[in-house]
């Protein structure tokens, strides 16, 4: 076993291809359906929203999809990202386990999200698109796409969930620094936004509403396409650079993970670290436990229904089969803004149904406690989203001590929390509640799931 604290790869080790787990699954995921006809959508249905190259990736069954050279060249700005052994944390909690973490916070925007933002901006530019529209919650995705747009000369318009727009002015300033335009959602700029404001003038907004606004803008403007920061198959695939690098780094560390952990909002950073290891397990019978960790106040994987649903509140998107809380579900305003989505990636949901992954949910106070403990021993202040993965990693490590076992645990440190310090201040002031979702609201929201003949 190697003695290093961090494992660094040279730029030559940036992967040349993304990994598509569909090629290794025992059964393919269900198709995406047109809400009007209930039939699978074709490329022409999606063409107003996405460039053809990404539509092709969305339905691809190829195991490897080559990373274009211009994308790989931009990845050089921060990839390969470091893998750390959490030696100080291990010692502090007195565990017999080995804990490793992959650190995606070294990207310019501070999270894993530029891995797909750069790829999406590239393919849009290639196909002559001038403008991108998107939504953002806490602002991590908006700032990542703003960064990617700046590098490729694309105009970027971001609809930011209103509560976060007001809570996180520095994320907004970051988007503007990269040249993007950012508006609070619901806004008066779109029909979907106006409809919500008419009914609820004080609406705090939600990711589902902001997606409706961004999709509407792309659908109505021929020079504009839409970009999504998680959930879709091509987004999850772009994130697999995380796990592919981690496989090499774990080899350098002369270790292999028994458990791989990621927090899960839409599912992309979890898929990014876990899918390459699950793929190895499927091909080489090298077993691994993969754990997706979500907030107890927005528990799509652990409490949602596996059903066809809309991706947005305004019902402009196609229907995807996923673990969902219902597209009208508005989660309480807890601090991990990036985990406040009503659904889960269809691929992550499919793997859950196949029994290939586990899921668990935590309240926010125990997560912040783990985040603070991590910062005091490892130095990095994690994003509120990431603290969910750290909570699970520490719990697995403590369980190992009780059971007298010494497993190897790997988690994805999806981003740093430098723009989220208000959340930490609130935590230290004892102002954070361990909110639960409202079971009545969930029941009502699930009662409105679209009826699909195929089910
Ligand atoms: C957006 C975000 C997440 C959650 O999104 P996924 O699609 O589930 O990865 C997690 N961590 C950070 C730091 C984020 O910015």
């Amino acid at each position: 076993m190697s003695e290093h604290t961090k494992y660094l790869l040279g730029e030559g080790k940036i992967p040349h291809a993304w990994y598509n787990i569909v090629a290794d699954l025992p059964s393919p995921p269900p198709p995406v359906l047109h809400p009007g006809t209930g039939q699978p959508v074709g490329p022409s249905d999606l063409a107003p929203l996405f460039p053809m190259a990404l539509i092709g990736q969305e339905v691809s069954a190829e195991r490897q999809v080559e990373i274009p050279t211009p994308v790989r060249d931009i990845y050089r700005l921060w990839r390969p990202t470091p893998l750390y052994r959490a030696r100080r944390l291990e010692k502090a909690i007195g565990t017999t386990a080995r804990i490793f973490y992959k650190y995606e916070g070294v990207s310019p925007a501070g999270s894993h999200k530029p891995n797909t933002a750069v790829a999406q901006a590239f393919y849009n530019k290639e196909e002559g698109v001038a403008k991108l529209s998107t939504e953002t919650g806490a602002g991590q995705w908006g700032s990542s796409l703003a960064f990617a747009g700046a590098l490729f000369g694309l105009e970027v318009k971001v609809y930011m969930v209103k509560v976060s727009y007001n809570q996180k002015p520095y994320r907004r300033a970051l988007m503007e620094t990269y040249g993007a335009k950012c508006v609070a959602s619901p806004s008066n700029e779109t029909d979907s936004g106006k409809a919500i404001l008419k009914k609820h003038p004080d609406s705090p907004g939600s990711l589902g509403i902001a997606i409706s606004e961004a999709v509407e803008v792309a659908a109505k403007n021929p020079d504009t396409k839409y970009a999504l920061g998680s959930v879709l198959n091509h987004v999850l695939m772009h994130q697999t650079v995380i796990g592919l690098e981690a496989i090499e780094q774990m080899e350098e560390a002369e270790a292999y993970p028994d458990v791989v952990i990621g927090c899960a909002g839409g599912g992309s950073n979890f898929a990014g670290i876990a899918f390459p290891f699950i793929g190895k397990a499927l091909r080489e019978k090298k077993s691994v436990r993969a754990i997706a960790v979500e907030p107890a106040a927005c528990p799509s994987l652990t409490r949602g229904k596996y059903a066809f649903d809309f991706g947005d509140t305004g019902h402009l998107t196609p229907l995807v089969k996923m673990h969902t809380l219902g597209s009208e579900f508005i989660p309480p305003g807890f601090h991990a803004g990036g985990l406040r989505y009503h659904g889960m990636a269809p691929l992550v949901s499919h793997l859950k149904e196949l029994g290939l992954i586990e899921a668990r949910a935590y309240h926010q106070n125990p997560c912040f406690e783990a985040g603070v403990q991590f910062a005091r021993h490892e130095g990095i202040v994690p994003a509120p989203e990431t603290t969910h993965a750290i909570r699970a990693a520490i719990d697995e490590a403590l369980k190992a001590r009780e059971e007298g076992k010494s497993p190897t645990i790997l988690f994805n440190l999806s981003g740093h929390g430098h723009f989220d310090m208000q959340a930490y201040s609130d935590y230290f002031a004892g102002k954070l509640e361990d909110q639960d979702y409202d079971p009545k609201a969930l029941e009502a929201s699930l009662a409105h799931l679209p009826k699909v003949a195929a089910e």
Side-chain angles (χ1 to χ4, degrees), residues 111-113 140 230 263-270 338-339 383 385-386 414-415:
S111 75
H112 63 291
K113 290 200 171 79
Q140 289 269 23
S230 187
C263 64
S268 75
N269 90 88
F270 166 72
L339 307 183
E385 291 83 2
T386 311
S414 52

Side-chain angles (χ1 to χ4, degrees), residues 236-405:
L236 272 53
M237 187 182 74
H238 297 156
Q239 293 296 352
T240 57
V241 288
I242 303 170
L244 292 169
E245 288 175 6
I247 286 175
E248 299 246 350
Q249 288 162 310
M250 292 299 291
E251 245 169 59
E252 270 192 27
E254 295 163 37
Y256 197 83
D258 299 293
V259 189
V260 178
I261 298 169
C263 64
S268 75
N269 90 88
F270 166 72
I273 190 129
F275 281 8
F277 287 98
I278 296 171
K280 254 174 122 57
L282 290 166
R283 293 189 309 274
E284 301 166 23
K285 308 267 173 284
K286 222 172 167 147
S287 80
V288 71
R289 285 175 61 210
I291 309 176
V293 191
E294 60 183 10
C298 191
S300 53
L301 259 184
T302 51
R303 291 273 184 277
K305 191 169 171 204
Y306 186 52
F308 279 98
D309 196 7
F310 290 98
D312 70 320
T313 307
H315 297 178
L316 302 178
T317 70
L319 300 176
V320 293
K321 194 160 189 187
M322 61 181 175
H323 289 89
T324 179
L325 302 166
S327 61
E328 284 148 40
F329 181 82
I330 307 279
F334 57 87
H335 272 290
L339 307 183
R340 292 180 72 238
Y341 185 58
H342 69 271
M344 181 52 63
L347 262 179
V348 172
S349 295
H350 184 55
L351 263 73
K352 175 83 176 6
E353 290 301 300
L354 289 172
L356 294 172
I357 64 166
E358 301 168 29
R360 72 175 68 157
Y362 286 115
H363 284 116
Q364 61 181 349
N365 278 300
C367 292
F368 274 100
E369 184 194 348
V372 169
Q373 191 175 22
F374 185 82
R376 289 182 185 173
H377 297 291
E378 296 292 320
I380 296 167
V381 178
E385 291 83 2
T386 311
T387 62
H388 291 71
I390 299 176
R391 177 75 268 161
I394 291 178
D395 284 358
E396 285 294 315
L398 293 175
K399 191 180 80 185
R401 187 178 64 183
E402 275 167 33
E403 293 174 349
K405 292 185 180 155

